[in-house]
Amino acid sequence: MKKLMMFFLGFFMMGQMVKAQEVVNETFKEWKIVTVVESIIPMGLGRSRMIENMTEVETEQFRTSRTNGKRSAQSSVRRKDLKVDHFDEAKLLNFFSATGINFQNIASNDAMIASRVMELEAEGYKLVFVTSAVESYAGVDDDSGLFITRMFFCREYF
């Protein structure tokens, strides 16, 4: 009986050792940001777009450290080097027409944005966070205005 118990105990322990050596798949997250810029300039004079970056960027070459809180090497970072050349853009409609706010344009933009969100979800992305901001049209003397929305998507892969 003692030998039988030792056999089962040994068999159980071997199973645990094999289990402990299994390869664990580590998951990584891939992030995607989609930015929607909708113009609120009247009469279709503005440009509205949905933008997605398609370029991988390493930020290390664009970051600097301050040594005493005042000295900075940011002047060595050239703005033109920060620009990416590969991105997707989808044309959207402006919020305003000649007669004022255009609700058909807003509904059309919503359809375009929802379509892209569904495409990304079909690719395995999940919408994680949304943030928005506005620089509003303030009348005749103000010829600018934007409504910006950033959508942050994430997907896991092995």
Side-chain angles (χ1 to χ4, degrees):
M1 180 74 173
K2 200 174 194 183
K3 286 184 180 181
L4 187 60
M5 279 185 65
M6 291 300 285
F7 173 75
F8 281 119
L9 183 61
F11 186 73
F12 175 76
M13 294 299 285
M14 281 184 57
Q16 294 301 317
M17 286 173 48
V18 169
K19 205 177 205 181
Q21 293 183 15
E22 286 181 8
V23 175
V24 176
N25 287 334
E26 189 174 344
T27 59
F28 300 93
K29 290 190 176 183
E30 178 182 8
W31 290 87
K32 178 178 278 291
I33 301 171
V34 177
T35 300
V36 177
V37 179
E38 295 170 284
S39 173
I40 49 180
I41 298 173
M43 299 176 61
L45 296 175
R47 297 183 315 174
S48 297
R49 300 283 190 277
M50 183 168 29
I51 307 292
E52 290 179 57
N53 172 46
M54 305 304 281
T55 305
E56 285 193 33
V57 175
E58 294 292 330
T59 62
E60 182 66 32
Q61 61 186 341
F62 304 113
R63 292 194 320 253
T64 61
S65 297
R66 291 185 183 238
T67 55
N68 67 359
K70 296 186 189 254
R71 289 196 184 118
S72 172
Q74 277 294 297
S75 60
S76 66
V77 177
R78 298 185 334 218
R79 291 184 190 274
K80 72 177 189 171
D81 294 337
L82 297 172
K83 294 190 179 212
V84 298
D85 293 324
H86 186 205
F87 60 93
D88 282 351
E89 67 179 316
K91 189 176 275 193
L92 298 173
L93 300 169
N94 296 335
F95 277 177
F96 280 152
S97 62
T99 59
I101 195 162
N102 188 318
F103 296 107
Q104 184 179 20
N105 287 2
I106 294 170
S108 298
N109 288 357
D110 288 350
M112 289 284 292
I113 295 164
S115 176
R116 186 60 187 139
V117 169
M118 289 187 288
E119 289 170 357
L120 288 170
E121 284 187 351
E123 294 174 18
Y125 287 96
K126 299 284 184 232
L127 181 61
V128 177
F129 186 76
V130 178
T131 184
S132 62
V134 66
E135 193 288 310
S136 64
Y137 178 69
V140 178
D141 294 334
D142 185 1
D143 62 353
S144 64
L146 294 174
F147 189 81
I148 291 182
T149 305
R150 281 210 166 102
M151 297 175 286
F152 296 80
F153 294 87
C154 167
R155 73 176 169 187
E156 292 183 359
Y157 60 95
F158 299 98

